[in-house]
Amino acid sequence: MSDERPPTSFQTTNPATEVDLRSYAVDDEATVESTLETAAAQFDSWSDRPITERESLLEGVATVLRDGKAEYAELITDEVGKPIDQARSEVEKCAWVCEYYAERAGEYLQDDRLGAVPGTKTYVTYEPLGPVLAIMPWNYPFWQVFRFAAPHLTAGNVGVLKHAPNTMGCAQAITSIFREAGYPDGVFSSLQIPDDRVANVIRDDRIAAVTLTGSTRAGRAVAAESGEALKKTVLELGGSDPFVVLDDAPIETVAERAASARTLNAGQSCISAKRIVVHDGIADEFLSAFTREMKSLTVGDPADEATDIGPLARADLLEQLDEQVQASVEAGATIVTGGEPLSRTGYFYPPTVLTGVPDGCPAAEEELFGPVATVTSVPDEETAVSVANDSQYGLGASVWTGDTDRGENLVSKIEAGNVFVNQIVQSDPRLPFGGIKQSGYGSELSDHGIREFTNPKTVWVE
């Protein structure tokens, strides 16, 4: 029997300085009950509002985000160590997704008129489900929340956020943004609870659906709880994206893009290019160019405009990444550059390149959530596809070539929810985003995403 007591507060810490920022009280059961009751009570009136009013309010959210961009970016940098220019870009992208759905939500949710029998009126209407629990991660603490909230609140649902404990400041700021934009209390709210209390919220009858962005392990747990209660879920989980370089690719340009794709947000992204798969004919030249690009990146203070790579977000994440690298080296992998934590204050790990990665080791089988890339050479396209697909994950993939037709011909052979040719994998409000295999299911963004938490109700009038 464990003597460990449940936490009474969450402590946020600056990962670059290891200085504590602020403590946030864990919500007691009465607070959770009040939050859920308010969310449920608001749903009817909120969903009854004309969608044009909801679109207008969302446009106001974009304005609040842009007006407060410097403040919100600094908060992101302080809590998760993201370089300040990347943090500003994250806030800008949140404003963009709000503006996008403020313009397009009504179009995407209009009734579909379908012919059936002459003299009858038949159509499909898209109705909101109710309060949706959004379990969100720390790595993109604003973007992950807004890419959920912008479409689904505008569709008429209400949102209840359960954010990561190390980003409680971001959670409170986001709640304040919706309030400042004029949203009624309870349309968007936040719970400050530990992971072991989430199952009770999922089972609560007032929660209609659940969305999670996080690890595959967390996805299985959420899917099991939600499935038991027959509640709709959308899961965006881990990834170990292949970055396939064919023998006709422009080496220097692609090497630079590969380094960027691997190290954005210190490599802490599900859609980072984690596995570089390159044709034998250019493998040596590419490895030299890629290693040079990785070494050229500046690791340092994320508040400094010159910094390319900040710290990992927490001490345990640094420890886990290093354990994965060392276990892979012990299994036979070779370190080309990097390979151990930097000896300095903060949770810093250098850009790292591994080659000769054997099957079965962590670098081959697991997601490395940090600036560590593996480089594997292959003799032909068929082997490249086989290596790309040899993963439990299926989130994103990219193919790099001087012949776009050649690249596009490989798209149907690669097992992933998103495949980009000559472009870094990214989420875009205009396009659906989601994974397959152990990377989850369901769509976010575009017209596909906004309909995920609606009831496509068939109507027949005779």
Side-chain angles (χ1 to χ4, degrees):
M1 183 173 180
S2 174
D3 293 329
E4 186 176 342
R5 295 183 179 182
T8 58
S9 64
F10 297 115
Q11 179 66 57
T12 57
T13 302
N14 185 315
T17 64
E18 302 184 45
V19 172
D20 288 343
L21 298 171
R22 185 178 166 186
S23 180
Y24 297 84
V26 170
D27 287 340
D28 59 21
E29 289 302 328
T31 301
V32 172
E33 169 64 25
S34 175
T35 300
L36 295 179
E37 186 61 29
T38 302
Q42 279 288 6
F43 171 62
D44 286 343
S45 60
W46 176 249
S47 59
D48 281 344
R49 281 198 181 199
I51 194 167
T52 52
E53 291 185 13
R54 299 197 297 264
E55 288 173 328
S56 180
L57 284 166
L58 187 62
E59 193 169 11
V61 172
T63 300
V64 175
L65 282 163
R66 292 193 191 282
D67 288 347
K69 180 171 66 173
E71 172 191 349
Y72 302 136
E74 183 177 342
L75 176 59
I76 292 170
T77 296
D78 285 346
E79 287 198 333
V80 300
K82 183 170 296 186
I84 189 66
D85 65 322
Q86 296 178 31
R88 286 193 293 264
S89 295
E90 180 172 342
V91 178
E92 281 284 352
K93 194 170 185 179
C94 294
W96 177 27
V97 76
C98 291
E99 291 166 344
Y100 179 77
Y101 280 108
E103 179 182 354
R104 294 297 183 89
E107 171 191 342
Y108 292 156
L109 295 174
Q110 63 186 327
D111 296 345
D112 286 338
R113 299 289 176 176
L114 304 173
V117 176
T120 66
K121 182 180 181 182
T122 50
Y123 59 96
V124 176
T125 186
Y126 297 92
E127 298 180 350
L129 297 180
V132 180
L133 175 64
I135 305 167
M136 292 293 136
W138 48 264
N139 58 333
Y140 286 85
F142 267 57
W143 169 242
Q144 302 284 6
V145 176
F146 279 96
R147 82 179 189 188
F148 152 74
H152 298 303
L153 267 59
T154 312
N157 297 294
V158 300
V160 179
L161 171 65
K162 189 279 177 193
H163 218 327
N166 59 322
T167 55
M168 283 298 158
C170 290
Q172 289 196 356
I174 293 168
T175 303
S176 296
I177 288 167
F178 281 100
R179 187 180 304 115
E180 185 176 344
Y183 280 66
D185 288 343
V187 171
F188 183 89
S189 54
S190 177
L191 293 175
Q192 296 179 177
I193 58 173
D195 292 344
D196 61 8
R197 289 172 58 193
V198 172
N200 288 337
V201 178
I202 293 174
R203 289 192 291 263
D204 193 287
D205 288 341
R206 289 164 294 195
I207 293 295
V210 185
T211 183
L212 164 82
T213 297
S215 68
T216 299
R217 177 189 56 78
R220 290 193 186 102
V222 167
E225 289 291 348
S226 302
E228 182 69 23
L230 291 179
K231 294 182 180 181
K232 175 69 180 289
T233 53
V234 170
L235 305 179
E236 195 267 279
L237 309 179
S240 188
D241 288 9
F243 186 103
V244 178
V245 186
L246 302 183
D247 55 355
D248 61 351
I251 293 174
E252 294 293 335
T253 299
V254 175
E256 185 276 328
R257 301 303 299 280
S260 176
R262 186 61 197 100
T263 60
L264 189 69
N265 194 28
Q268 300 169 117
S269 172
C270 295
I271 52 173
S272 289
K274 301 181 177 75
R275 297 180 294 133
I276 314 296
V277 183
V278 57
H279 192 283
D280 278 344
I282 60 170
D284 290 344
E285 187 179 354
F286 178 85
L287 179 60
S288 295
F290 177 58
T291 302
R292 202 162 50 243
E293 290 289 343
M294 293 285 274
K295 287 182 175 180
S296 73
L297 297 171
T298 300
V299 180
D301 179 2
D304 188 333
E305 298 286 351
T307 293
D308 298 307
I309 301 176
L312 300 191
R314 298 193 312 261
D316 62 305
L317 298 170
L318 178 67
E319 180 180 353
Q320 178 182 340
L321 180 66
D322 189 47
E323 288 175 353
Q324 290 173 306
V325 170
Q326 299 313 316
S328 299
V329 172
E330 290 174 8
T334 298
I335 297 174
V336 179
T337 187
E340 61 182 18
L342 297 180
S343 181
R344 59 182 293 177
T345 299
Y347 314 133
F348 291 92
Y349 204 88
T352 296
V353 178
L354 301 178
T355 59
V357 175
D359 291 341
C361 75
E365 304 292 334
E366 301 172 6
E367 180 177 22
L368 303 185
F369 220 57
V372 180
T374 65
V375 179
T376 302
S377 61
V378 293
D380 49 46
E381 289 182 12
E382 291 72 22
T383 308
V385 170
S386 177
V387 171
N389 291 338
D390 186 20
S391 172
Q392 63 177 318
Y393 300 108
L395 189 54
S398 60
V399 178
W400 299 81
T401 173
D403 181 346
T404 55
D405 289 338
R406 183 185 181 193
E408 191 172 1
N409 286 337
L410 295 184
V411 167
S412 64
K413 301 176 183 178
I414 294 177
E415 299 167 355
N418 311 269
V419 181
F420 286 57
V421 177
N422 295 334
Q423 181 56 270
I424 293 172
V425 178
Q426 57 196 280
S427 57
D428 184 311
R430 299 165 295 190
L431 301 171
F433 181 84
I436 60 172
K437 300 197 285 189
Q438 297 299 298
S439 291
Y441 52 75
S443 290
E444 298 178 288
L445 304 174
S446 80
D447 56 336
H448 295 67
I450 196 172
R451 291 179 174 181
E452 284 282 11
F453 293 125
T454 63
N455 169 26
K457 179 185 288 184
T458 295
V459 180
W460 182 306
V461 180
E462 187 164 342

